[in-house]
Amino acid sequence: MGKPDKAAKGNSALAFDFGDNWDHYSRTVLDDGRLGAAVDSLRSLIGTDRLAGARFCDVGSGSGLFTIAAALLGTGRALGFDINPTGVEVARRNLSRFAPDMADRVEFRQGSALDAGFVDGLGRFDVVYAWGSLHHTGSMWPAIANAARLVDDGGTFVLALYNRHWTSPLWTVVKILYNLSPALLRRVWDRLLGSLMLVAVWAVTGSSPLRKERGMDFWVDVTDWLGGYPYEYAGVDEVRGRLDAMGFDLLEVRPPRVPTGCNEFVLRRRAA
Ligand SMILES: C[S@@+](CC[C@H](N)C(=O)[O-])C[C@H]1O[C@@H](n2cnc3c(N)ncnc32)[C@H](O)[C@@H]1O
C-alpha cells in the first residue's frame, strides 16, 4: 500500500495513518461474519425503514464496511469517502470482494470532511453516517457542520464521537507519544497497553472485549485507539446543544461501554 501524502493524513504531522490499520484489518480479520455484525449494528441503530431506498453517505468510511453493509440493507446510492487514500483503496477492494454486484450503486471517493467545497459537491442524503471519524479530523466542530449540510430535510444524521471524560486529556498525551514512537516501539505499546486495556474493559463492563460489536476486532481497535490522533471529544449535552443550533432534533443517544468510548447519536434534520 502506498503511503498517504501529508495533506491526506490530516493537518498535523503527528496524524495517525488509519489506512494501514484498515488494510491490516481487511486482510487478516474481515470475513462474512464481521460483515454480518456490521449489518446488524446498522439495522439496530438506524433501522431498515430509514435505510430502504435511502441515499446514504458514510463520512470517514475507513474500510468501507458500513457503506457496503448499508447497501446490503437496501439503500439506493451509497457513497463512502475518507481522507486516507489507502483506506479508499481498501474499501474499493472490500466492495469487489463482498458485494461485486452492487458496484453500480456503491462508490468510494477520497476527500476530506474539512473541505467544504468537496463536501458541498456531493449532494444531499437521506442518511449520513459519521461513525468515529469527525473527532479525528483535527477540527471536529467545523467537520460536523460540513457533514451536517449533507443531510437533507427530514434526513437522519448518525454521529459517533468520543465521550468527554476526566482522562481524555491524558489520552491525548498517550496518543502523541505513540505517534512519536518508531514502528517497533508502537507494537510494544499495542501489546502492553492493549493487555492492560483488555483487563480494564473486562473489569468495567463484565463482558469480554474480544467479542467485538460492529464487526470490529479488539487488537485492531487498540492500534486505532492508541494511534488515533488528532483526537477530540464531547459530552452529550454539548453535542445536543450544538446540533440543535444546526437544525437537528436528537432522537436517541447510546452511551459507550467504557467512559472514554463513543457516544452514538441519532439525529433528524428539521424541515426548513
Ligand atoms: C476510527 S476510523 C472510523 C472508520 C469508520 N467510520 C468505521 O466506523 O469503521 C476514522 C476514519 O476517519 C478518517 N478521517 C480522518 N480525518 C478525516 C477527514 N478530514 N475527512 C474524512 N475522513 C477522515 C480516517 O482516515 C479513518 O478512516
Side-chain angles (χ1 to χ4, degrees), residues 26 30-31 35 74-75 86 99 102 168 184 210 224 226 230 260 262 271-272:
S26 298
L30 183 57
D31 58 14
L35 176 58
T75 62
T86 306
M102 297 191 319
S168 304
L184 195 61
L210 296 175
D224 186 287
L226 292 176
T260 47
C262 288

Side-chain angles (χ1 to χ4, degrees), residues 18 22 60 62 66 82-84 111-113 131-133 136-137 214 224:
F18 284 96
W22 288 129
F66 295 90
D82 200 290
I83 195 171
N84 189 296
S112 172
W131 209 105
S133 53
H136 287 310
T137 57
R214 300 182 73 246
D224 186 287

Side-chain angles (χ1 to χ4, degrees), residues 74-129:
T75 62
R77 176 191 182 212
L79 168 72
F81 74 87
D82 200 290
I83 195 171
N84 189 296
T86 306
V88 174
E89 206 178 315
V90 168
R92 288 180 182 146
R93 202 173 68 213
N94 285 332
L95 177 62
S96 316
R97 179 178 161 202
F98 291 103
D101 52 323
M102 297 191 319
D104 56 333
R105 62 189 169 95
V106 181
E107 186 193 352
F108 292 101
R109 290 198 204 168
Q110 188 193 342
S112 172
L114 292 176
D115 181 344
F118 169 77
V119 171
D120 290 339
L122 297 176
R124 298 192 98 189
F125 297 83
D126 304 301
V127 179
V128 174
Y129 180 80

